[in-house]
Amino acid sequence: MKQKLDEYKHIVENNLDKIFSNQNIPHNLKEAMNYSLSAGGKRLRPVLCMVWGELFGLDKNSLLNFATSLELIHTYSLVHDDLPAMDNDDYRRGKPANHIQFGEATAILVGDGLLTEAFKLMLDNDLPADRIKRATAEVAASTGPRGMVGGQALDMSLQKQQEIQLNTLKQMHSLKTAELIKTSCLSGAILAGSQEEDLERVRIYGRCIGLAFQVADDILDVVGDKSNLGKPVGSDMKAGKTTYTSLIGLEESKKIGQDLIEQALDTLQPYTGEQAEFLKELSNYIVERIE
């Protein structure tokens, strides 16, 4: 699975290298955008888009621009989340955060530029127009005020509260983290022309692994190591953030993560082949991270 993931990552990163290479963009803005885009990461969202599209019969190269746009959106969200007015993080993936390296004004413009360029990429392909329209609408809904942006707003409001309920924490992470992962899966399936019953399975899979990744991150903030996390262990605890582990404890958090993965695996039962196996192994990898 990790070898296959690296192969997809290489394809995505080659495309990322091309996006801003010959554009008429001010040098300082281009440098700052590429700084965050090249900071590493799993490239999970574009990989999921391509794998689900392939599972339903579409060649991954046809999906590449749309898939890459999801990485631009994810990166924009990280740049903005790190800002002092938001999560106020100085490091991202082991490097100084964008606003530390280039200043707050440039970091804001980096996020704006990445988000708008992402929608240009979504439309820059030769797939059927009705599929592009539906997939782009799904991305817009999942990343706007009803999705990722709404989740960040909820996160900010929760930081001022002394007591937070588990359902509220789940709602926040469903919007802030799981929505884009879900839509990464869903957009690949939509672009491949999948049937509605398949799309419902894809929705469930994406939502479950999206939440499971967040639970795993909360667990690793307690038991992980800095070299893998890209930030000091226990940084969320020191910042006073409410996490799954701080709210319900380590063992119960592990149980929630495992239950989510079991639900994700259930949705894959009707499917066979290389892509289905990859998705199963990816799901199991999340569990392995927290065991």
Side-chain angles (χ1 to χ4, degrees):
M1 184 277 297
K2 292 180 181 179
Q3 180 180 352
K4 194 70 177 175
L5 182 61
D6 285 341
E7 290 174 9
Y8 282 107
K9 278 180 59 176
H10 183 68
I11 294 169
V12 172
E13 288 173 349
N14 280 345
N15 205 36
L16 286 171
D17 289 340
K18 297 174 185 175
I19 290 170
F20 299 115
S21 59
N22 298 314
Q23 299 288 337
N24 185 24
I25 302 170
H27 175 75
N28 64 321
L29 180 60
K30 183 192 294 186
E31 181 184 7
M33 287 193 291
N34 283 325
Y35 175 84
S36 290
L37 282 173
S38 64
K42 306 176 191 69
R43 313 301 188 191
L44 177 67
R45 291 150 190 84
V47 170
L48 286 168
C49 178
M50 288 191 291
V51 172
W52 274 108
E54 284 185 303
L55 188 148
F56 290 115
L58 198 61
D59 181 81
K60 62 176 172 289
N61 291 321
S62 302
L63 292 154
L64 183 55
N65 273 352
F66 201 103
T68 304
S69 75
L70 301 168
E71 189 67 19
L72 267 62
I73 292 173
H74 176 55
T75 302
Y76 123 73
S77 74
L78 300 181
V79 171
H80 279 189
D81 283 2
D82 288 341
L83 287 166
M86 296 287 188
D87 292 347
N88 194 24
D89 287 324
D90 291 344
Y91 289 90
R92 172 66 63 178
R93 293 169 178 162
K95 297 170 59 177
N98 196 288
H99 69 275
I100 298 294
Q101 191 77 7
F102 298 98
E104 290 181 38
T106 298
I108 292 169
L109 293 172
V110 164
D112 295 344
L114 291 173
L115 177 60
T116 49
E117 188 72 14
F119 282 92
K120 176 180 178 295
L121 276 178
M122 288 178 218
L123 301 173
D124 187 15
N125 59 69
D126 297 323
L127 294 169
D130 60 332
R131 298 182 190 178
I132 296 170
K133 178 182 176 182
R134 182 174 180 182
T136 302
E138 287 282 353
V139 174
S142 70
T143 56
R146 298 171 185 82
M148 186 175 68
V149 173
Q152 177 66 6
L154 185 56
D155 189 13
M156 299 296 294
S157 69
L158 293 180
Q159 292 176 22
K160 302 173 184 178
Q161 298 182 21
Q162 295 296 319
E163 294 185 8
I164 299 172
Q165 300 297 318
L166 180 59
N167 284 343
T168 304
L169 186 67
K170 286 181 178 179
Q171 180 191 12
M172 185 268 286
H173 286 311
S174 292
L175 295 174
K176 183 175 177 178
T177 303
E179 271 293 307
L180 183 54
I181 291 178
K182 177 204 74 178
T183 300
S184 298
C185 301
L186 196 58
S187 60
I190 290 171
L191 292 169
S194 304
Q195 300 298 312
E196 290 300 325
E197 61 182 295
D198 291 312
L199 292 179
E200 184 56 29
R201 293 190 187 98
V202 178
R203 284 189 186 92
I204 296 170
Y205 176 89
R207 177 184 173 277
C208 287
I209 67 159
L211 283 173
F213 260 106
Q214 183 59 56
V215 174
D217 282 347
D218 285 359
I219 291 170
L220 292 172
D221 187 64
V222 177
V223 301
D225 62 80
K226 183 178 179 180
S227 61
N228 289 330
L229 291 176
K231 62 180 181 178
V233 175
S235 60
D236 289 343
M237 186 182 300
K238 290 175 184 176
K241 294 181 181 179
T242 300
T243 64
Y244 283 95
T245 52
S246 68
L247 193 62
I248 60 175
L250 187 60
E251 293 307 315
E252 188 62 26
S253 297
K254 288 182 179 181
K255 185 177 184 303
I256 287 178
Q258 290 162 350
D259 288 346
L260 286 166
I261 293 305
E262 287 180 10
Q263 292 178 55
L265 289 170
D266 283 344
T267 67
L268 295 173
Q269 288 184 7
Y271 310 116
T272 58
E274 183 180 349
Q275 286 75 32
E277 284 304 311
F278 176 87
L279 293 167
K280 291 173 185 176
E281 290 174 12
L282 178 65
S283 303
N284 288 323
Y285 166 68
I286 302 172
V287 174
E288 290 170 7
R289 292 174 75 207
I290 61 179
E291 285 181 340

mmCIF file of all heavy atoms in Angstrom, residues 111-156:
data_model
loop_
_atom_site.group_PDB
_atom_site.id
_atom_site.type_symbol
_atom_site.label_atom_id
_atom_site.label_comp_id
_atom_site.label_asym_id
_atom_site.label_seq_id
_atom_site.Cartn_x
_atom_site.Cartn_y
_atom_site.Cartn_z
ATOM 1 N N GLY A 111 -3.031 31.616 0.700
ATOM 2 C CA GLY A 111 -4.267 30.849 0.812
ATOM 3 C C GLY A 111 -5.290 31.253 -0.226
ATOM 4 O O GLY A 111 -5.914 30.398 -0.881
ATOM 5 N N ASP A 112 -5.454 32.558 -0.424
ATOM 6 C CA ASP A 112 -6.402 33.047 -1.427
ATOM 7 C C ASP A 112 -6.021 32.549 -2.819
ATOM 8 O O ASP A 112 -6.874 32.114 -3.609
ATOM 9 C CB ASP A 112 -6.437 34.578 -1.422
ATOM 10 C CG ASP A 112 -6.979 35.148 -0.121
ATOM 11 O OD1 ASP A 112 -7.608 34.393 0.650
ATOM 12 O OD2 ASP A 112 -6.764 36.350 0.114
ATOM 13 N N GLY A 113 -4.718 32.618 -3.129
ATOM 14 C CA GLY A 113 -4.251 32.211 -4.442
ATOM 15 C C GLY A 113 -4.421 30.724 -4.690
ATOM 16 O O GLY A 113 -4.834 30.303 -5.781
ATOM 17 N N LEU A 114 -4.110 29.919 -3.683
ATOM 18 C CA LEU A 114 -4.240 28.470 -3.829
ATOM 19 C C LEU A 114 -5.697 28.065 -4.010
ATOM 20 O O LEU A 114 -6.015 27.188 -4.832
ATOM 21 C CB LEU A 114 -3.649 27.764 -2.613
ATOM 22 C CG LEU A 114 -2.126 27.832 -2.458
ATOM 23 C CD1 LEU A 114 -1.697 27.231 -1.119
ATOM 24 C CD2 LEU A 114 -1.417 27.113 -3.599
ATOM 25 N N LEU A 115 -6.587 28.678 -3.260
ATOM 26 C CA LEU A 115 -8.007 28.322 -3.361
ATOM 27 C C LEU A 115 -8.569 28.651 -4.738
ATOM 28 O O LEU A 115 -9.246 27.819 -5.365
ATOM 29 C CB LEU A 115 -8.811 29.043 -2.283
ATOM 30 C CG LEU A 115 -10.326 28.832 -2.310
ATOM 31 C CD1 LEU A 115 -10.681 27.359 -2.136
ATOM 32 C CD2 LEU A 115 -11.010 29.671 -1.238
ATOM 33 N N THR A 116 -8.285 29.849 -5.232
ATOM 34 C CA THR A 116 -8.839 30.233 -6.533
ATOM 35 C C THR A 116 -8.193 29.439 -7.668
ATOM 36 O O THR A 116 -8.871 29.067 -8.639
ATOM 37 C CB THR A 116 -8.670 31.743 -6.776
ATOM 38 O OG1 THR A 116 -7.310 32.125 -6.491
ATOM 39 C CG2 THR A 116 -9.598 32.535 -5.889
ATOM 40 N N GLU A 117 -6.895 29.154 -7.564
ATOM 41 C CA GLU A 117 -6.234 28.339 -8.576
ATOM 42 C C GLU A 117 -6.809 26.924 -8.599
ATOM 43 O O GLU A 117 -6.876 26.276 -9.654
ATOM 44 C CB GLU A 117 -4.738 28.287 -8.313
ATOM 45 C CG GLU A 117 -3.911 27.632 -9.407
ATOM 46 C CD GLU A 117 -3.794 28.460 -10.669
ATOM 47 O OE1 GLU A 117 -4.134 29.666 -10.633
ATOM 48 O OE2 GLU A 117 -3.351 27.913 -11.703
ATOM 49 N N ALA A 118 -7.237 26.444 -7.430
ATOM 50 C CA ALA A 118 -7.815 25.103 -7.348
ATOM 51 C C ALA A 118 -9.052 24.989 -8.229
ATOM 52 O O ALA A 118 -9.228 24.001 -8.959
ATOM 53 C CB ALA A 118 -8.169 24.770 -5.899
ATOM 54 N N PHE A 119 -9.910 25.995 -8.211
ATOM 55 C CA PHE A 119 -11.125 25.918 -9.024
ATOM 56 C C PHE A 119 -10.806 26.042 -10.515
ATOM 57 O O PHE A 119 -11.497 25.449 -11.349
ATOM 58 C CB PHE A 119 -12.134 26.971 -8.569
ATOM 59 C CG PHE A 119 -12.858 26.553 -7.321
ATOM 60 C CD1 PHE A 119 -12.396 26.911 -6.065
ATOM 61 C CD2 PHE A 119 -13.981 25.746 -7.398
ATOM 62 C CE1 PHE A 119 -13.041 26.495 -4.917
ATOM 63 C CE2 PHE A 119 -14.643 25.314 -6.251
ATOM 64 C CZ PHE A 119 -14.166 25.692 -5.004
ATOM 65 N N LYS A 120 -9.747 26.753 -10.850
ATOM 66 C CA LYS A 120 -9.293 26.779 -12.247
ATOM 67 C C LYS A 120 -8.886 25.370 -12.687
ATOM 68 O O LYS A 120 -9.231 24.925 -13.783
ATOM 69 C CB LYS A 120 -8.123 27.739 -12.400
ATOM 70 C CG LYS A 120 -7.515 27.777 -13.798
ATOM 71 C CD LYS A 120 -6.364 28.761 -13.857
ATOM 72 C CE LYS A 120 -5.713 28.784 -15.244
ATOM 73 N NZ LYS A 120 -5.065 27.510 -15.587
ATOM 74 N N LEU A 121 -8.163 24.657 -11.827
ATOM 75 C CA LEU A 121 -7.715 23.306 -12.154
ATOM 76 C C LEU A 121 -8.890 22.342 -12.308
ATOM 77 O O LEU A 121 -8.865 21.454 -13.162
ATOM 78 C CB LEU A 121 -6.775 22.780 -11.076
ATOM 79 C CG LEU A 121 -5.302 23.168 -11.158
ATOM 80 C CD1 LEU A 121 -4.555 22.591 -9.963
ATOM 81 C CD2 LEU A 121 -4.673 22.694 -12.448
ATOM 82 N N MET A 122 -9.911 22.496 -11.467
ATOM 83 C CA MET A 122 -11.072 21.608 -11.555
ATOM 84 C C MET A 122 -11.729 21.679 -12.925
ATOM 85 O O MET A 122 -12.232 20.675 -13.448
ATOM 86 C CB MET A 122 -12.109 21.979 -10.487
ATOM 87 C CG MET A 122 -11.713 21.626 -9.077
ATOM 88 S SD MET A 122 -12.995 22.156 -7.913
ATOM 89 C CE MET A 122 -11.969 22.720 -6.561
ATOM 90 N N LEU A 123 -11.719 22.876 -13.494
ATOM 91 C CA LEU A 123 -12.399 23.079 -14.773
ATOM 92 C C LEU A 123 -11.491 22.810 -15.965
ATOM 93 O O LEU A 123 -11.960 22.790 -17.110
ATOM 94 C CB LEU A 123 -12.924 24.519 -14.847
ATOM 95 C CG LEU A 123 -13.900 24.914 -13.732
ATOM 96 C CD1 LEU A 123 -14.214 26.399 -13.806
ATOM 97 C CD2 LEU A 123 -15.165 24.092 -13.787
ATOM 98 N N ASP A 124 -10.209 22.604 -15.717
ATOM 99 C CA ASP A 124 -9.223 22.454 -16.792
ATOM 100 C C ASP A 124 -9.021 20.981 -17.132
ATOM 101 O O ASP A 124 -7.980 20.388 -16.856
ATOM 102 C CB ASP A 124 -7.903 23.104 -16.379
ATOM 103 C CG ASP A 124 -6.894 23.143 -17.516
ATOM 104 O OD1 ASP A 124 -7.308 22.928 -18.673
ATOM 105 O OD2 ASP A 124 -5.699 23.380 -17.244
ATOM 106 N N ASN A 125 -10.030 20.364 -17.720
ATOM 107 C CA ASN A 125 -9.921 18.972 -18.158
ATOM 108 C C ASN A 125 -10.996 18.678 -19.201
ATOM 109 O O ASN A 125 -11.871 19.516 -19.443
ATOM 110 C CB ASN A 125 -10.014 18.001 -16.974
ATOM 111 C CG ASN A 125 -11.310 18.141 -16.208
ATOM 112 O OD1 ASN A 125 -12.380 17.803 -16.722
ATOM 113 N ND2 ASN A 125 -11.238 18.651 -14.979
ATOM 114 N N ASP A 126 -10.931 17.514 -19.792
ATOM 115 C CA ASP A 126 -11.807 17.174 -20.918
ATOM 116 C C ASP A 126 -12.915 16.183 -20.549
ATOM 117 O O ASP A 126 -13.491 15.548 -21.429
ATOM 118 C CB ASP A 126 -10.976 16.585 -22.066
ATOM 119 C CG ASP A 126 -9.975 17.582 -22.617
ATOM 120 O OD1 ASP A 126 -10.319 18.776 -22.678
ATOM 121 O OD2 ASP A 126 -8.853 17.168 -22.961
ATOM 122 N N LEU A 127 -13.219 16.051 -19.288
ATOM 123 C CA LEU A 127 -14.271 15.133 -18.850
ATOM 124 C C LEU A 127 -15.649 15.731 -19.150
ATOM 125 O O LEU A 127 -15.767 16.935 -19.384
ATOM 126 C CB LEU A 127 -14.116 14.856 -17.358
ATOM 127 C CG LEU A 127 -12.843 14.102 -16.973
ATOM 128 C CD1 LEU A 127 -12.643 14.123 -15.464
ATOM 129 C CD2 LEU A 127 -12.885 12.671 -17.491
ATOM 130 N N PRO A 128 -16.701 14.904 -19.144
ATOM 131 C CA PRO A 128 -18.044 15.421 -19.434
ATOM 132 C C PRO A 128 -18.438 16.581 -18.518
ATOM 133 O O PRO A 128 -18.210 16.533 -17.303
ATOM 134 C CB PRO A 128 -18.939 14.202 -19.195
ATOM 135 C CG PRO A 128 -18.050 13.035 -19.479
ATOM 136 C CD PRO A 128 -16.699 13.440 -18.981
ATOM 137 N N ALA A 129 -19.020 17.615 -19.107
ATOM 138 C CA ALA A 129 -19.304 18.851 -18.376
ATOM 139 C C ALA A 129 -20.228 18.637 -17.185
ATOM 140 O O ALA A 129 -20.059 19.275 -16.138
ATOM 141 C CB ALA A 129 -19.905 19.889 -19.332
ATOM 142 N N ASP A 130 -21.227 17.738 -17.331
ATOM 143 C CA ASP A 130 -22.155 17.535 -16.218
ATOM 144 C C ASP A 130 -21.456 16.911 -15.015
ATOM 145 O O ASP A 130 -21.770 17.236 -13.862
ATOM 146 C CB ASP A 130 -23.352 16.688 -16.656
ATOM 147 C CG ASP A 130 -22.947 15.313 -17.163
ATOM 148 O OD1 ASP A 130 -21.811 15.160 -17.674
ATOM 149 O OD2 ASP A 130 -23.761 14.368 -17.040
ATOM 150 N N ARG A 131 -20.486 16.050 -15.259
ATOM 151 C CA ARG A 131 -19.727 15.443 -14.160
ATOM 152 C C ARG A 131 -18.825 16.482 -13.491
ATOM 153 O O ARG A 131 -18.724 16.521 -12.253
ATOM 154 C CB ARG A 131 -18.897 14.273 -14.668
ATOM 155 C CG ARG A 131 -19.715 13.134 -15.265
ATOM 156 C CD ARG A 131 -18.793 11.995 -15.701
ATOM 157 N NE ARG A 131 -19.499 10.987 -16.486
ATOM 158 C CZ ARG A 131 -18.935 9.925 -17.018
ATOM 159 N NH1 ARG A 131 -17.614 9.729 -16.851
ATOM 160 N NH2 ARG A 131 -19.634 9.050 -17.719
ATOM 161 N N ILE A 132 -18.172 17.304 -14.312
ATOM 162 C CA ILE A 132 -17.308 18.351 -13.756
ATOM 163 C C ILE A 132 -18.127 19.308 -12.896
ATOM 164 O O ILE A 132 -17.716 19.688 -11.791
ATOM 165 C CB ILE A 132 -16.597 19.125 -14.883
ATOM 166 C CG1 ILE A 132 -15.661 18.205 -15.664
ATOM 167 C CG2 ILE A 132 -15.811 20.310 -14.312
ATOM 168 C CD1 ILE A 132 -15.109 18.835 -16.923
ATOM 169 N N LYS A 133 -19.292 19.685 -13.400
ATOM 170 C CA LYS A 133 -20.161 20.609 -12.656
ATOM 171 C C LYS A 133 -20.552 20.020 -11.308
ATOM 172 O O LYS A 133 -20.468 20.694 -10.269
ATOM 173 C CB LYS A 133 -21.412 20.922 -13.482
ATOM 174 C CG LYS A 133 -22.402 21.832 -12.787
ATOM 175 C CD LYS A 133 -23.636 22.062 -13.660
ATOM 176 C CE LYS A 133 -24.674 22.902 -12.911
ATOM 177 N NZ LYS A 133 -25.899 23.101 -13.731
ATOM 178 N N ARG A 134 -20.975 18.759 -11.300
ATOM 179 C CA ARG A 134 -21.422 18.149 -10.046
ATOM 180 C C ARG A 134 -20.262 17.972 -9.070
ATOM 181 O O ARG A 134 -20.395 18.264 -7.878
ATOM 182 C CB ARG A 134 -22.081 16.798 -10.319
ATOM 183 C CG ARG A 134 -22.610 16.146 -9.044
ATOM 184 C CD ARG A 134 -23.391 14.882 -9.315
ATOM 185 N NE ARG A 134 -23.866 14.296 -8.069
ATOM 186 C CZ ARG A 134 -24.540 13.158 -7.987
ATOM 187 N NH1 ARG A 134 -24.840 12.482 -9.084
ATOM 188 N NH2 ARG A 134 -24.924 12.690 -6.813
ATOM 189 N N ALA A 135 -19.117 17.515 -9.573
ATOM 190 C CA ALA A 135 -17.969 17.302 -8.692
ATOM 191 C C ALA A 135 -17.465 18.623 -8.121
ATOM 192 O O ALA A 135 -17.111 18.709 -6.933
ATOM 193 C CB ALA A 135 -16.857 16.588 -9.447
ATOM 194 N N THR A 136 -17.427 19.662 -8.961
ATOM 195 C CA THR A 136 -16.967 20.979 -8.489
ATOM 196 C C THR A 136 -17.921 21.543 -7.452
ATOM 197 O O THR A 136 -17.488 22.131 -6.453
ATOM 198 C CB THR A 136 -16.833 21.946 -9.682
ATOM 199 O OG1 THR A 136 -15.924 21.399 -10.634
ATOM 200 C CG2 THR A 136 -16.313 23.298 -9.235
ATOM 201 N N ALA A 137 -19.216 21.353 -7.660
ATOM 202 C CA ALA A 137 -20.201 21.807 -6.676
ATOM 203 C C ALA A 137 -20.024 21.083 -5.342
ATOM 204 O O ALA A 137 -20.167 21.684 -4.268
ATOM 205 C CB ALA A 137 -21.616 21.597 -7.208
ATOM 206 N N GLU A 138 -19.712 19.796 -5.393
ATOM 207 C CA GLU A 138 -19.460 19.034 -4.168
ATOM 208 C C GLU A 138 -18.253 19.591 -3.421
ATOM 209 O O GLU A 138 -18.281 19.740 -2.193
ATOM 210 C CB GLU A 138 -19.227 17.558 -4.502
ATOM 211 C CG GLU A 138 -20.459 16.788 -4.920
ATOM 212 C CD GLU A 138 -21.342 16.386 -3.744
ATOM 213 O OE1 GLU A 138 -20.927 16.591 -2.579
ATOM 214 O OE2 GLU A 138 -22.440 15.862 -3.993
ATOM 215 N N VAL A 139 -17.192 19.916 -4.161
ATOM 216 C CA VAL A 139 -16.000 20.477 -3.523
ATOM 217 C C VAL A 139 -16.311 21.831 -2.893
ATOM 218 O O VAL A 139 -15.914 22.113 -1.764
ATOM 219 C CB VAL A 139 -14.846 20.597 -4.530
ATOM 220 C CG1 VAL A 139 -13.654 21.310 -3.894
ATOM 221 C CG2 VAL A 139 -14.416 19.226 -5.035
ATOM 222 N N ALA A 140 -17.024 22.669 -3.630
ATOM 223 C CA ALA A 140 -17.368 23.992 -3.111
ATOM 224 C C ALA A 140 -18.187 23.879 -1.824
ATOM 225 O O ALA A 140 -17.953 24.611 -0.846
ATOM 226 C CB ALA A 140 -18.143 24.783 -4.165
ATOM 227 N N ALA A 141 -19.145 22.965 -1.814
ATOM 228 C CA ALA A 141 -19.992 22.793 -0.626
ATOM 229 C C ALA A 141 -19.185 22.269 0.564
ATOM 230 O O ALA A 141 -19.380 22.707 1.701
ATOM 231 C CB ALA A 141 -21.145 21.839 -0.946
ATOM 232 N N SER A 142 -18.264 21.363 0.296
ATOM 233 C CA SER A 142 -17.529 20.734 1.396
ATOM 234 C C SER A 142 -16.425 21.618 1.950
ATOM 235 O O SER A 142 -15.932 21.368 3.054
ATOM 236 C CB SER A 142 -16.926 19.403 0.931
ATOM 237 O OG SER A 142 -15.871 19.626 0.026
ATOM 238 N N THR A 143 -16.014 22.647 1.209
ATOM 239 C CA THR A 143 -14.923 23.496 1.678
ATOM 240 C C THR A 143 -15.385 24.871 2.124
ATOM 241 O O THR A 143 -14.593 25.640 2.669
ATOM 242 C CB THR A 143 -13.873 23.680 0.557
ATOM 243 O OG1 THR A 143 -14.490 24.206 -0.613
ATOM 244 C CG2 THR A 143 -13.217 22.352 0.222
ATOM 245 N N GLY A 144 -16.655 25.205 1.915
ATOM 246 C CA GLY A 144 -17.182 26.519 2.272
ATOM 247 C C GLY A 144 -17.767 26.569 3.669
ATOM 248 O O GLY A 144 -17.412 25.779 4.539
ATOM 249 N N PRO A 145 -18.716 27.483 3.902
ATOM 250 C CA PRO A 145 -19.269 27.672 5.246
ATOM 251 C C PRO A 145 -20.068 26.482 5.767
ATOM 252 O O PRO A 145 -20.252 26.349 6.974
ATOM 253 C CB PRO A 145 -20.171 28.907 5.087
ATOM 254 C CG PRO A 145 -20.469 28.987 3.621
ATOM 255 C CD PRO A 145 -19.255 28.460 2.941
ATOM 256 N N ARG A 146 -20.540 25.606 4.871
ATOM 257 C CA ARG A 146 -21.255 24.404 5.303
ATOM 258 C C ARG A 146 -20.306 23.225 5.513
ATOM 259 O O ARG A 146 -20.729 22.125 5.852
ATOM 260 C CB ARG A 146 -22.317 24.020 4.274
ATOM 261 C CG ARG A 146 -23.392 25.061 4.061
ATOM 262 C CD ARG A 146 -24.284 24.722 2.876
ATOM 263 N NE ARG A 146 -25.240 25.776 2.597
ATOM 264 C CZ ARG A 146 -24.960 26.870 1.889
ATOM 265 N NH1 ARG A 146 -23.747 27.024 1.382
ATOM 266 N NH2 ARG A 146 -25.880 27.794 1.689
ATOM 267 N N GLY A 147 -19.023 23.453 5.293
ATOM 268 C CA GLY A 147 -18.030 22.391 5.407
ATOM 269 C C GLY A 147 -16.803 22.847 6.153
ATOM 270 O O GLY A 147 -16.873 23.238 7.309
ATOM 271 N N MET A 148 -15.654 22.849 5.481
ATOM 272 C CA MET A 148 -14.367 23.080 6.127
ATOM 273 C C MET A 148 -14.276 24.451 6.801
ATOM 274 O O MET A 148 -13.799 24.562 7.943
ATOM 275 C CB MET A 148 -13.252 22.932 5.090
ATOM 276 C CG MET A 148 -11.854 23.013 5.627
ATOM 277 S SD MET A 148 -10.637 22.680 4.325
ATOM 278 C CE MET A 148 -10.871 24.147 3.291
ATOM 279 N N VAL A 149 -14.722 25.505 6.126
ATOM 280 C CA VAL A 149 -14.677 26.844 6.720
ATOM 281 C C VAL A 149 -15.593 26.912 7.935
ATOM 282 O O VAL A 149 -15.239 27.484 8.971
ATOM 283 C CB VAL A 149 -15.057 27.914 5.671
ATOM 284 C CG1 VAL A 149 -15.188 29.281 6.330
ATOM 285 C CG2 VAL A 149 -14.002 27.971 4.570
ATOM 286 N N GLY A 150 -16.767 26.293 7.816
ATOM 287 C CA GLY A 150 -17.665 26.234 8.971
ATOM 288 C C GLY A 150 -17.053 25.466 10.124
ATOM 289 O O GLY A 150 -17.223 25.838 11.298
ATOM 290 N N GLY A 151 -16.325 24.400 9.816
ATOM 291 C CA GLY A 151 -15.656 23.632 10.863
ATOM 292 C C GLY A 151 -14.593 24.440 11.572
ATOM 293 O O GLY A 151 -14.441 24.351 12.804
ATOM 294 N N GLN A 152 -13.836 25.255 10.817
ATOM 295 C CA GLN A 152 -12.838 26.110 11.450
ATOM 296 C C GLN A 152 -13.491 27.171 12.333
ATOM 297 O O GLN A 152 -13.006 27.480 13.425
ATOM 298 C CB GLN A 152 -11.961 26.771 10.375
ATOM 299 C CG GLN A 152 -10.917 27.743 10.909
ATOM 300 C CD GLN A 152 -9.837 27.079 11.750
ATOM 301 O OE1 GLN A 152 -9.790 25.860 11.861
ATOM 302 N NE2 GLN A 152 -8.986 27.880 12.353
ATOM 303 N N ALA A 153 -14.624 27.731 11.864
ATOM 304 C CA ALA A 153 -15.352 28.704 12.682
ATOM 305 C C ALA A 153 -15.839 28.062 13.975
ATOM 306 O O ALA A 153 -15.750 28.662 15.062
ATOM 307 C CB ALA A 153 -16.528 29.273 11.888
ATOM 308 N N LEU A 154 -16.347 26.831 13.881
ATOM 309 C CA LEU A 154 -16.792 26.115 15.072
ATOM 310 C C LEU A 154 -15.620 25.828 16.003
ATOM 311 O O LEU A 154 -15.730 25.961 17.223
ATOM 312 C CB LEU A 154 -17.483 24.821 14.657
ATOM 313 C CG LEU A 154 -18.123 23.969 15.755
ATOM 314 C CD1 LEU A 154 -19.132 24.776 16.557
ATOM 315 C CD2 LEU A 154 -18.786 22.734 15.145
ATOM 316 N N ASP A 155 -14.482 25.460 15.427
ATOM 317 C CA ASP A 155 -13.278 25.208 16.213
ATOM 318 C C ASP A 155 -12.884 26.454 16.999
ATOM 319 O O ASP A 155 -12.538 26.380 18.189
ATOM 320 C CB ASP A 155 -12.144 24.789 15.280
ATOM 321 C CG ASP A 155 -10.915 24.296 16.025
ATOM 322 O OD1 ASP A 155 -11.014 24.044 17.249
ATOM 323 O OD2 ASP A 155 -9.860 24.138 15.394
ATOM 324 N N MET A 156 -12.927 27.617 16.342
ATOM 325 C CA MET A 156 -12.576 28.863 17.022
ATOM 326 C C MET A 156 -13.527 29.155 18.181
ATOM 327 O O MET A 156 -13.104 29.585 19.248
ATOM 328 C CB MET A 156 -12.615 30.020 16.022
ATOM 329 C CG MET A 156 -11.633 29.888 14.863
ATOM 330 S SD MET A 156 -9.909 29.912 15.385
ATOM 331 C CE MET A 156 -9.776 31.582 15.990
#
